[in-house]
Short mmCIF file of all heavy atoms in Angstrom, two decimals:
data_model
loop_
_atom_site.label_atom_id
_atom_site.label_comp_id
_atom_site.label_asym_id
_atom_site.label_seq_id
_atom_site.Cartn_x
_atom_site.Cartn_y
_atom_site.Cartn_z
N GLN A 1 64.58 126.27 92.10
CA GLN A 1 65.95 126.69 92.26
C GLN A 1 66.25 127.90 91.32
O GLN A 1 65.81 127.91 90.18
CB GLN A 1 66.91 125.59 92.02
CG GLN A 1 66.78 124.47 93.01
CD GLN A 1 67.86 123.45 92.83
OE1 GLN A 1 68.65 123.51 91.92
NE2 GLN A 1 67.92 122.44 93.67
N GLN A 3 68.51 130.35 88.93
CA GLN A 3 69.66 130.44 88.03
C GLN A 3 70.03 131.88 87.91
O GLN A 3 69.21 132.73 87.82
CB GLN A 3 69.30 129.86 86.67
CG GLN A 3 69.07 128.30 86.66
CD GLN A 3 67.67 127.93 87.08
OE1 GLN A 3 66.70 128.50 86.54
NE2 GLN A 3 67.52 127.01 88.00
N GLY A 16 87.34 154.90 85.98
CA GLY A 16 86.09 154.82 85.24
C GLY A 16 85.03 154.03 86.05
O GLY A 16 85.23 153.76 87.21
N ASN A 57 68.61 146.68 103.30
CA ASN A 57 69.91 146.59 103.95
C ASN A 57 70.97 146.24 102.94
O ASN A 57 70.73 145.33 102.15
CB ASN A 57 69.83 145.64 105.11
CG ASN A 57 68.90 146.08 106.21
OD1 ASN A 57 68.97 147.12 106.71
ND2 ASN A 57 67.88 145.25 106.50
N LEU A 86 87.03 153.10 89.69
CA LEU A 86 87.68 151.78 89.60
C LEU A 86 89.14 151.87 89.72
O LEU A 86 89.81 152.80 89.17
CB LEU A 86 87.23 151.04 88.41
CG LEU A 86 85.82 150.45 88.43
CD1 LEU A 86 85.23 150.10 87.15
CD2 LEU A 86 85.86 149.17 89.39
#
Side-chain angles (χ1 to χ4, degrees):
Q1 295 187 358
Q3 292 83 47
N57 298 302
L86 283 161

